[in-house]
Amino acid sequence: MSALQFSRLKTPCGVFLVFFRSGGICALRFPPAVPPQVYPEGDLPWRGLEKDLNCYLHGEKVDWSLYPLVMEGYPPFTRRVLEAVREIPYGQVWTYRETARRAGSPRGWRAAGRALGANRQPIMVPCHRVVRSDGTPGGFGIPGGWKERLLSLEGVLYR
DNA sequence: ATTAATAGCGGCA
DNA sequence: TGCCGCTATTAAT
């Protein structure tokens, strides 16, 4: 497998780091206080990605299925949950229960929550479209302030 | 090798 | 209202 690299993407809510290898995109994160030195910075093979991310954060529709994601390293159920979530139609939300059902484990909604917490590719795996049964947002259990920074873009996330 | 702890939910007292 | 069990995975004991 090819070596992991990263690139910086400028967006309205700050710089994102996108980690990638030849097989696809591995992770999307906000930069840590100390820049990563263990991986080389390189040019993205997907030229439209920065533009698409900015379009998305401005509320436009983006088809993330066109970007290959590296799903290796996730446990099997986690992977099924994340792949299911990628298919939530634009403008819709699913409950944790619905998400678990689509992942093949109708009673595994709690486990689905845990699986979403392991998501390394937010936005492209739209974990923000999974809500509780009462309609309130889920957790965004990703380190780095995702919840605050993304919810500040009112009305964008649930389109 | 167990046990606890999780981005949740519905049933039952 | 509060407690219980359910599911998959990880961290702690």
Side-chain angles (χ1 to χ4, degrees):
Chain A
M1 192 179 297
S2 66
L4 187 64
Q5 304 176 78
F6 77 96
S7 183
R8 299 170 199 273
L9 303 180
K10 290 174 188 167
T11 81
C13 52
V15 173
F16 287 58
L17 300 187
V18 53
F19 291 82
F20 63 95
R21 58 181 36 139
S22 63
I25 293 156
C26 303
L28 192 62
R29 311 186 65 105
F30 286 114
V34 177
Q37 297 169 327
V38 278
Y39 304 113
E41 186 162 0
D43 289 329
L44 266 183
W46 305 280
R47 277 310 165 144
L49 181 57
E50 182 168 42
K51 178 170 163 288
D52 275 349
L53 184 60
N54 278 283
C55 285
Y56 186 83
L57 294 176
H58 280 105
E60 293 173 39
K61 182 174 176 177
V62 171
D63 183 5
W64 295 115
S65 73
L66 300 176
Y67 290 97
L69 300 190
V70 174
M71 301 302 278
E72 287 152 26
Y74 289 119
F77 177 74
T78 301
R79 185 165 168 168
R80 272 187 276 131
V81 167
L82 298 182
E83 284 171 350
V85 162
R86 276 195 101 186
E87 294 175 10
I88 301 178
Y90 234 87
Q92 293 189 24
V93 294
W94 287 355
T95 60
Y96 286 90
R97 178 174 225 186
E98 173 74 0
T99 301
R101 189 182 69 76
R102 298 287 297 240
S105 181
R107 281 168 281 325
W109 54 77
R110 188 169 191 177
R114 200 188 194 289
L116 289 169
N119 180 22
R120 296 188 299 257
Q121 293 128 320
I123 309 285
M124 296 164 196
V125 176
C127 54
H128 52 274
R129 287 198 203 119
V130 180
V131 299
R132 293 194 250 252
S133 59
D134 64 5
T136 59
F140 298 88
I142 315 282
W146 282 91
K147 190 171 187 175
E148 299 73 21
R149 295 173 82 165
L150 295 181
L151 285 180
S152 71
L153 301 170
E154 283 180 45
V156 168
L157 284 184
Y158 299 105
R159 282 171 44 86

